[in-house]
Amino acid sequence: MRIRSARRSDLPLLQDIERAAGEPFRALGMAFVADDDPPPLDLLEGYRQADRCWVATDPLSPTGDRPLGYVLADPVDDALHIEQVSVHPAAARRGIGRELIAHLAGVAARCGMTALTLTTFTDVPWNAPYYARIGFRVLSEEELTDGLRAIRGEEAQHGLDRWPRVCMRRDLASVPPPKDARTVAQPRLFPDTSETSGAAETVAVGGGA
């Protein structure tokens, strides 16, 4: 599996992944989620230009360098927030979601952030239960930061609170800086684009691990 930064030519494929990843929600009576539009191209391009959109590919498979899954992230308070992570159902149960999140954890730690956060549905098997298996914990109301409260407010306005949702967090071990920081390119995390994202969903890891 290869994790790389998204290219402009990938973006329509990411929309296709999002549509496909939403379909399993229909069987749970969540047609509203299944029918939700994928992130628009201009939003995806904003994340791409900010170096906060990554894709997973399998160069050894027939799909080659074609994205099988993707992740978007925003810096929110002291953490890197997973705005969206989706895997095409045809590539489910191959650990792609886990690999994308592991890549984000490395980026966040090298940037001095202390955690990954996300919001997700409580009762969808490939949402909160999946994230709990890979080290996330549910945050209490008292633990929510101002940034997470704002995200939950946007989600409620989008209608997502018709099903139970939670905020989750995975604390990260710190990563020491390189011995010669002058010669090592560091990840860059640009200002938050989430204000223009509406309520882009962090829900679809197709099949989880």
Side-chain angles (χ1 to χ4, degrees):
M1 193 60 56
R2 177 190 180 202
I3 308 296
R4 61 167 174 80
S5 295
R7 302 168 185 150
R8 183 172 296 159
S9 59
D10 294 326
L11 303 186
L13 303 177
L14 305 191
Q15 291 183 314
D16 292 341
I17 290 171
E18 193 61 37
R19 293 186 187 97
E23 278 303 310
F25 287 89
R26 201 176 303 280
L28 300 180
M30 301 170 71
F32 176 82
V33 176
D35 293 334
D36 198 25
D37 291 333
L41 290 176
D42 59 347
L43 177 65
L44 293 173
E45 175 63 7
Y47 276 98
R48 188 192 71 82
Q49 290 185 4
D51 288 340
R52 290 192 276 110
C53 177
W54 295 269
V55 301
T57 69
D58 185 356
L60 300 180
S61 77
T63 58
D65 203 38
R66 183 185 179 93
L68 302 173
Y70 76 100
V71 64
L72 308 175
D74 286 316
V76 175
D77 302 315
D78 66 335
L80 188 56
H81 185 76
I82 303 172
E83 173 65 21
Q84 184 79 21
V85 57
S86 297
V87 175
H88 197 290
R93 302 190 183 279
R94 293 172 53 183
I96 295 174
R98 187 187 298 260
E99 289 292 328
L100 286 164
I101 292 170
H103 179 81
L104 275 191
V107 170
R110 289 191 296 274
C111 290
M113 295 181 169
T114 61
L116 297 178
T117 59
L118 55 84
T119 61
T120 193
F121 291 114
T122 304
D123 300 327
V124 175
W126 58 91
N127 279 194
Y130 167 77
Y131 294 120
R133 291 197 299 273
I134 63 172
F136 286 82
R137 66 179 181 86
V138 175
L139 295 176
S140 67
E141 186 68 22
E142 293 74 21
E143 292 178 290
L144 299 186
T145 64
D146 290 343
L148 290 176
R149 291 181 191 278
I151 290 169
R152 290 290 290 115
E154 292 176 5
E155 292 176 344
Q157 290 180 4
H158 193 61
L160 296 178
D161 275 11
R162 66 183 69 184
W163 300 279
R165 285 180 70 79
V166 290
C167 293
M168 303 185 76
R169 177 182 176 101
R170 187 168 94 181
D171 292 321
L172 302 175
S174 60
V175 174
K179 292 182 180 179
D180 187 354
R182 295 171 300 174
T183 62
V184 179
Q186 295 298 305
R188 51 190 182 102
L189 294 173
F190 283 77
D192 194 344
T193 62
S194 61
E195 290 185 2
T196 62
S197 67
E201 256 296 68
T202 308
V203 296
V205 177

